[in-house]
Amino acid sequence: MTRWSIFRNRLIPILCFLLIYVLPPYSAFTLEAELSVLYLNSYHYGYRQSDEVQQTVFNRLREQLPQIDIRHEYMDTKRYDDPSHIQLFQKYLSNKYKNHKFNLIITADDHAFRFIQRYQNRMWPEIPVVFCGLNQFNPDMLEGYPNFTGIIEKSDVEDNVRLIESIHPDAKTLYLINDNTLTGEALRKSEGAFIKRISRFNVLDLSGTDLELSELLQKLRQLPPDAVVVYQNWLKDKSQRMYTHRQVVPMISISSAVPVYGFSELYLNYGIVGGKLISAAEQGAITAGMALRILNGTPPREIEVQLDSHCIYKFDYTQLNRFHISEDCLPQGSIIVNKPTSFFERHHNVIVSTLWVVGLQMVLIIYLVLNRIQRVKAERALRREHQLLQALLDNMPDFIYFKDRESRFIQNNKAHLAQFGLTKQEDMLGKSNFDFYSKDFAQETLVDEKRIIETGQSMVNKLENISSKKDKPVWMSTTKVPIKDDTGHVTTLVGISRDVTERVLSSDKIKASLEEKEILLKEIHHRVKNNLQVISSLLSLQASTITDEDVLHALKESQDRIRSMAMIHESLYRGDEIADLDLNGYVNGLVQGLYSHYRGTSGTVRFQQNVETFPIAMDVAVPFGLVLNELISNALKHAFPAPHKNEAIVQIKISKNKEDEVQLHIIDNGKGFPDDFNWETAETLGMKLVRILIENQLRGRFLITNDQGTHALVHFPVHK
């Protein structure tokens, strides 16, 4: 035998012992976890009143406590109420539940209540008890029973008597039907005596102690019209025959020539007119409520006994109609059963449901109709807009077309169709530029359109030559725009092409003409510059023959002025723009020429230039150049007589202000003008020339200040 076999043979018995003797069975856990209730019914199954109370109690308890364990037992005392039966029943319960523990006992009606009071201490001591349906109640009955509480079953006799009196004001005699059972005797002693004491009627008994059922029915047939009957109880007659309410009440109702009333809902539908009836459902609901409170931990002594049976006014329409009792005579809020219902009442739920369905269908139909109307209006408006758009597209001379993501035509206007000799849109659908244009041009447009679709960016006014190399050029200005859906995805593109061939050809002609004129103007500037140089050379030759210093000085100044004008024409000739002067280059050239000419007079001079670059028109450039020549020459000639101590500096600043005016500053740190010098009235040629050029040619302003040197300021507009 292996070690595993030995171990297994020893382990299995141990496990079995643990499962059987140590661990409790599952059922034990389940039973201990449940609440257990004993429901003790005084009567038998099928007794309507007690069955309805019992069923209500069971339903309410199971709604709140689904796992509750309810045991119910029937004493059957309506048929067997002798002491030997009670003793046998006690032995039966003791033996049956000797090992069972209840959390609560519920008793229904008097026999069960008395049974528990008598045997509880012997069978289930200290278990809480809730009683219901108790007819013969006295508060002293609970003395010594602190764990008892419940609801009594007490008919509202006085209200019922007053009700009968109000419905039958002419009635004189009231007959009480009762039997010789324990319940019957109790009712005769309590309700019967009370009715005789408070009623205006002559109250008589029809008792099962004295009558058999047949005799009772015979007497009922012979009752006078001014009589009224109240059924209390009849389950046993004089001959000890047993009956049920279901058997006897209909027989009494049929036999009676006058209305039969009752105090319990049990008898309704069996033939009584009705009354203020004890409700089995109310009894059951109140009993269940008390039971739940106790099961949830409330001590019974803290729950008051309910002395009000919660009776309700309830009547049988069949009996009301039989005895011609008007509903107006009944208390307000009365419940009437067996009342014939109208077609609407009988089929209320079906009719209401049908009306709801029809109403919803009508609402849906109205909604659909309105929606259809709106849709038709929208379609008409859309069709109108489409027609207007199509008319607009077809009447435009430009080529307008729509393409899909594969660059295939999906819509074209008439002008675009006519370009290819087409009249129908169908002839263009699905085709591309490769079907109508040269391969190179079609490939170029395909690349453009793919880029537009991929990037979502438009192409605006692209100049395209759509003709082949052999044909005359046809120039189109094309704009293509992507069309996107709600998600931003490009689905379509629209293109607009306009024939600009004439404009392009005109532009080429204008460009050629401008180039010719530019060449001509440059030639003019060149010739003017050459002529001025010739004049300057003639003046230089003339100066070589003159010995008079004043005349020689005048010739040299004139030569400087001619040179400044020649430099302007030279700059315009050599510049990219024939009409605008290169200001910075011109100033540099002019300063270098003047400085080399006057260096012997002024000595070493440092120039500080701050010249902004902006164009100056030719008609302004010549007088401006002469003014600049005169002011710089004046500074070099007069500002720095030898010897001078400080470094000689001349600042030249040219800028343009916000008013579009040129500002010229010539500043030196020389000796300045004499105190008696007035530049506004000076008759020297240079100063007169400056004033004339600024005021008449440049339309500007001129100002000279004398502060640690000379500061000449000129303002003039850029354009005349």
Side-chain angles (χ1 to χ4, degrees), residues 84-268:
S84 61
H85 171 72
I86 301 301
Q87 291 174 1
L88 290 173
F89 184 73
Q90 184 270 325
K91 290 179 181 180
Y92 158 74
L93 292 182
S94 297
N95 183 65
K96 183 177 181 179
Y97 297 112
K98 61 182 177 181
N99 295 320
H100 190 85
K101 181 180 179 181
F102 291 107
N103 300 96
L104 178 68
I105 298 172
I106 300 175
T107 67
D109 293 291
D110 296 72
H111 289 87
F113 176 80
R114 293 199 192 97
F115 178 86
I116 289 298
Q117 275 196 325
R118 181 176 180 182
Y119 294 108
Q120 184 190 22
N121 289 334
R122 186 188 310 176
M123 300 171 65
W124 302 292
E126 299 183 357
I127 301 299
V129 175
V130 174
F131 57 83
C132 63
L134 191 59
N135 299 112
Q136 303 176 38
F137 176 76
N138 189 306
D140 296 338
M141 296 168 63
L142 299 182
E143 189 70 31
Y145 297 95
N147 288 337
F148 279 53
T149 188
I151 177 172
I152 68 170
E153 184 178 291
K154 182 180 179 181
S155 303
D156 199 332
V157 178
E158 184 173 359
D159 282 355
N160 274 296
V161 171
R162 301 298 176 230
L163 173 69
I164 296 171
E165 290 177 344
S166 65
I167 295 175
H168 305 281
D170 298 330
K172 298 178 180 179
T173 307
L174 181 65
Y175 290 90
L176 300 178
I177 297 177
N178 213 326
D179 62 8
N180 59 357
T181 62
L182 181 63
T183 302
E185 292 176 0
L187 292 174
R188 185 161 43 249
K189 292 178 181 178
S190 58
E191 294 181 359
F194 184 73
I195 292 173
K196 292 175 181 178
R197 188 168 63 250
I198 67 169
S199 174
R200 65 173 177 82
F201 296 118
N202 179 25
V203 181
L204 300 176
D205 291 322
L206 295 173
S207 175
T209 304
D210 306 320
L211 299 171
E212 291 185 359
L213 179 59
S214 58
E215 296 172 335
L216 172 65
L217 298 178
Q218 182 61 33
K219 283 185 173 293
L220 290 173
R221 294 187 188 98
Q222 298 172 356
L223 292 179
D226 59 354
V228 179
V229 174
V230 172
Y231 176 82
Q232 290 181 289
N233 199 57
W234 187 285
L235 299 178
K236 186 186 295 185
D237 63 5
K238 180 177 69 174
S239 62
Q240 301 301 308
R241 291 191 185 92
M242 299 298 298
Y243 304 96
T244 64
H245 296 298
R246 181 178 297 182
Q247 294 172 328
V248 73
V249 174
M251 297 170 67
I252 291 173
S253 175
I254 293 171
S255 300
S256 176
V258 297
V260 178
Y261 289 85
F263 298 158
S264 174
E265 192 178 14
L266 173 65
Y267 316 138
L268 200 65

Side-chain angles (χ1 to χ4, degrees), residues 429-444:
L429 287 177
K431 296 183 179 181
S432 67
N433 285 350
F434 287 94
D435 298 306
F436 302 101
Y437 298 108
S438 66
K439 183 178 180 180
D440 292 340
F441 176 73
Q443 183 63 37
E444 179 184 349

